[in-house]
Amino acid sequence: MSFSAVDIAPRAPEAAAALRPDRHTALALAAAALVMGLGQTTLFTFLPLLMAHTGLSLARITAAFAIGSGLFLIGAPLWSRLSDFLGRRSVVAIALGGFALSHALLLWQMGQGADWQGQGAMLMLGRVIYGLTVSGLVPTCQAWLADLSSAEQRLGVLSRLSASLTLGRLLGPALAACSLWLDPLGPLWLMALAAWPALLLLPFTRQAARQGKAAVRERLGWQGMAAWLALAGLMQLALGQVQYALGPLLGSRFGLSASAASATLGWLLTACALVVLVLQLWLVPRCRAGRPLLLAGGLALLASGVLLALPGPLSLIWIGFLLLGVAAALLVPTYTTLASLAVGGAGQARVAGVLAAAHTVGFSLAAALAGWLFGLWPAAPFWLAGLAGLAVIVLACLLRLPARAD
């Protein structure tokens, strides 16, 4: 299979200068990504509240959330394609509206009491709304920024968008804990209201031109996309393997209690997110998207898997987990940028959508494999993460880069 990519015609300096997201647009899209990050981590803080107020079992709740997440496989490519016709702003508004509506329904549901017979159906309805609407948020934001940026600016703007998502994940648990001091349902109020600031900023954004039928007519070179989809799947496979298996490993290898293992994992996740945030805000935007960043990310991923798999002190776990953050910070914006450059102007939304779907597939595969592999051999998920890093290095050596990234 060929990994060649479509060349990009160079832009004139004045055209490149004109293609720059203005401050209002960058702020609105950063706020939208931050909302998405808040939702991803705050979710875990109100699971006990949800069980107590609805009377639903953890299995029924997690099943509903899993179905909502699975709908991202449908929603991300679909909304990305529709944004070519409806416009990026409209799709981002729909996604933020779906975020607000799904959490408002959840808040209303929790006020109905555990005896209400519609608890299960209402929870499922809210998660279906979430999955079918919010799935379009991040890929459409990526496509919008790609529309408004030149090839030279692309890595920087996409890296800052990823940093906003990471910041939201960092702030989510802290804001949820603070909101509990104000109201027992504080985390739900936080989620129901979080999307409104970003929604109110949207009218002040600079709208990207609609692609319309041009996006359908353009040949996107999907054979050349295979490498970028493989990189996206491998990164999320490795990330999921480590995240799902590290808690049990801390307990079995170091004899930590469940609460101690959870606390240690929480600190590891926080430190890792800080590493990602710092690198994506200050280092990655100063680099050029290309083979060196892919190789560095692959090496970090390989080293992370090996260090986590090998027996040793807890400090080895810390180093390995922080290297996982380095790998994510380098790889995700780099392969997203290179895929964006590879397909040309009219394919931005569609490539963002399929990359989001590849992320979902990789992380879902990790969820399916991690427990089984850990049961066979506790180090197996981490060796698989290391093999994913090795595969990234091989791909980085074999693929041909878009012309503007050479």
Side-chain angles (χ1 to χ4, degrees):
M1 180 180 289
S2 171
F3 289 144
S4 61
V6 179
D7 288 351
I8 307 296
R11 292 185 174 121
E14 59 273 12
L19 282 173
R20 185 185 303 274
D22 63 277
R23 184 168 56 184
H24 292 105
T25 303
L27 179 60
L29 298 186
L34 188 142
V35 167
M36 183 73 174
L38 283 174
Q40 289 175 344
T41 53
T42 307
L43 162 70
F44 298 107
T45 66
F46 61 70
L47 277 178
L49 287 172
L50 197 54
M51 293 174 65
H53 286 264
T54 64
L56 298 175
S57 67
L58 180 61
R60 289 192 67 181
I61 292 171
T62 54
F65 279 92
I67 289 172
S69 299
L71 289 173
F72 274 58
L73 279 173
I74 301 171
L78 175 63
W79 283 114
S80 300
R81 179 73 174 271
L82 287 174
S83 73
D84 286 330
F85 298 90
L86 301 177
R88 312 294 192 223
R89 182 191 292 164
S90 297
V91 172
V92 170
I94 290 169
L96 290 170
F99 186 98
L101 176 60
S102 63
H103 288 94
L105 285 175
L106 193 57
L107 182 62
W108 176 83
Q109 173 187 353
M110 290 180 67
Q112 302 309 301
D115 296 331
W116 184 47
Q117 297 299 313
Q119 290 287 3
M122 183 57 68
L123 178 64
M124 186 65 70
L125 174 63
R127 298 322 293 177
V128 168
I129 291 173
Y130 180 90
L132 288 179
T133 56
V134 181
S135 53
L137 182 58
V138 172
T140 305
C141 288
Q142 290 174 340
W144 194 344
L145 287 172
D147 291 337
L148 299 180
S149 62
S150 67
E152 291 78 10
Q153 300 160 351
R154 189 90 32 100
L155 179 61
V157 297
L158 293 179
S159 179
R160 293 185 185 97
L161 185 73
S162 294
S164 300
L165 193 64
T166 302
L167 181 60
R169 291 169 181 155
L170 267 174
L171 292 176
L175 290 177
C178 292
S179 68
L180 283 169
W181 292 348
L182 303 175
D183 188 275
L185 298 181
L188 268 299
W189 281 106
L190 175 66
M191 289 297 94
L193 298 174
W196 285 100
L199 274 169
L200 294 174
L201 285 170
L202 284 182
F204 302 100
T205 56
R206 176 184 170 194
Q207 179 69 292
R210 297 185 186 184
Q211 302 295 338
K213 294 181 180 180
V216 178
R217 290 195 302 264
E218 182 168 333
R219 296 184 62 186
L220 299 181
W222 292 110
Q223 285 188 338
M225 278 296 299
W228 317 118
L229 296 178
L231 288 171
L234 287 168
M235 180 66 240
Q236 294 303 311
L237 173 65
L239 186 65
Q241 288 287 303
V242 173
Q243 289 185 341
Y244 279 113
L246 189 56
L249 181 76
L250 290 171
S252 63
R253 182 180 291 179
F254 301 102
L256 299 180
S257 65
S259 58
S262 295
T264 303
L265 183 57
W267 285 113
L268 284 166
L269 287 167
T270 301
C272 183
L274 284 171
V275 167
V276 173
L277 183 64
V278 169
L279 291 177
Q280 289 184 339
L281 279 178
W282 286 288
L283 176 63
V284 178
R286 290 172 170 79
C287 299
R288 185 181 181 89
R291 207 179 311 275
L293 278 182
L294 291 177
L295 289 172
L299 285 170
L301 190 57
L302 172 61
S304 171
V306 171
L307 289 176
L308 292 169
L310 292 175
L314 188 59
S315 58
L316 207 62
I317 299 290
W318 275 92
I319 296 172
F321 201 74
L322 293 180
L323 281 172
L324 181 68
V326 172
L330 298 181
L331 287 174
V332 175
T334 302
Y335 65 63
T336 302
T337 299
L338 292 173
S340 169
L341 294 175
V343 300
Q348 297 307 316
R350 295 170 69 186
V351 72
V354 295
L355 281 177
H359 286 159
T360 302
V361 169
F363 208 79
S364 300
L365 185 59
L369 289 177
W372 176 68
L373 289 174
F374 188 85
L376 293 177
W377 180 31
F382 307 102
W383 284 116
L384 180 58
L387 286 175
L390 183 60
V392 168
I393 294 171
V394 172
L395 278 174
C397 293
L398 293 178
L399 59 83
R400 287 184 57 195
L401 301 180
R404 295 301 295 269
D406 287 338

